[in-house]
Amino acid sequence: MTVRLPPLAPGLRVGLYGGSFNPAHAGHLHVSQLALRRLALDRVWWLVSPGNPLKDRRELATSAARVAGARAIADDPRIAVTDFEARIGARYTRQTLAWLRRRRPDIRFVWIMGADSLASFHRWQGFRQIAAAMPIAVIDRPGFTLTATAARAAQALARYRIDEADAPELADLDPPAWVFLHGPRSDLSSTALRNRARAPLRGDSREST
């Protein structure tokens, strides 16, 4: 099976921002533009996942709907939206990164995650393999500034953390290597947006059960 990836050229610095994007929102755009600027990236890809194994899939919109919503929000020519993970049958992030490294060793990839994800990173399948596959940039999120860096995975990888001032060099480093980026934070979340969309229905017990 031929899998089409967003356009690439050898040597590009590409951030990979994975998630369900259920739905995509301005906070995703904020994180991506911060990463582009602070990490000196050329591109950011939004990897619309088939579904997070750690989350309830019952509220997950179709892949096509989530991709369409993400493309409507990703108002930046440097950001590309792709659902290739579903097309290669990847269920876990470690599978996605291994697939990309095999096929595009000429690209300098960086994995991007929010601080809330770092807090639970130790629960991801093969989190050490992920850290060994490519550099990681962690973007601060409200409520996780201190707890994320004290979490189990952050402590396990503490010796590989680089100074924030060296963030532009991250894409050139051999993994494991990671940085925690502070700065303006967005408190938007897909969960909150879904809850807000359901709010008018909560007065009807037939709809809220």
Side-chain angles (χ1 to χ4, degrees):
M1 176 183 66
T2 301
V3 177
R4 182 173 296 178
L5 296 173
L8 283 170
L12 283 182
R13 304 156 67 93
V14 178
L16 303 175
Y17 189 19
S20 57
F21 295 93
N22 187 45
H25 51 72
H28 293 126
L29 182 60
H30 167 78
V31 165
S32 301
Q33 291 178 328
L34 186 151
L36 282 160
R37 182 176 68 256
R38 298 284 301 279
L39 301 172
L41 300 176
D42 299 300
R43 301 284 188 275
V44 168
W45 292 0
W46 289 6
L47 308 186
V48 180
S49 71
N52 187 331
L54 298 178
K55 294 184 179 179
D56 188 344
R57 294 193 180 195
R58 288 176 293 182
E59 295 186 343
L60 193 65
T62 66
S63 177
R66 290 182 288 124
V67 167
R71 285 177 175 155
I73 292 292
D75 186 23
D76 190 312
R78 299 168 297 175
I79 299 174
V81 179
T82 175
D83 62 349
F84 83 88
E85 284 185 293
R87 303 179 189 280
I88 66 173
R91 189 175 175 209
Y92 299 105
T93 297
R94 63 172 181 80
Q95 297 171 320
T96 300
L97 305 195
W99 188 92
L100 282 172
R101 280 175 55 86
R102 285 195 304 269
R103 285 159 179 79
R104 294 310 306 254
D106 56 332
I107 302 299
R108 290 175 284 179
F109 288 113
V110 173
W111 180 253
I112 299 169
M113 67 165 68
D116 52 331
S117 293
L118 178 61
S120 60
F121 192 35
H122 62 278
R123 298 175 57 204
W124 294 27
Q125 187 181 89
F127 83 89
R128 293 180 186 276
Q129 293 173 272
I130 295 170
M134 61 185 59
I136 297 172
V138 180
I139 313 297
D140 197 10
R141 289 289 306 275
F144 290 91
T145 303
L146 299 177
T147 56
T149 52
R152 189 183 307 176
Q155 292 300 305
L157 300 170
R159 67 184 181 276
Y160 303 115
R161 182 179 175 181
I162 68 169
D163 190 274
E164 192 169 356
D166 297 324
E169 303 171 14
L170 184 68
D172 298 318
L173 299 179
D174 293 328
W178 66 285
V179 67
F180 192 100
L181 296 180
H182 299 83
R185 299 173 296 180
S186 170
D187 60 3
L188 287 173
S189 76
S190 297
T191 300
L193 291 175
R194 291 196 304 274
N195 290 341
R196 191 180 307 164
R198 288 198 302 269
L201 300 176
R202 286 177 177 163
D204 187 336
S205 62
R206 293 171 300 173
E207 298 294 339
S208 61
T209 55

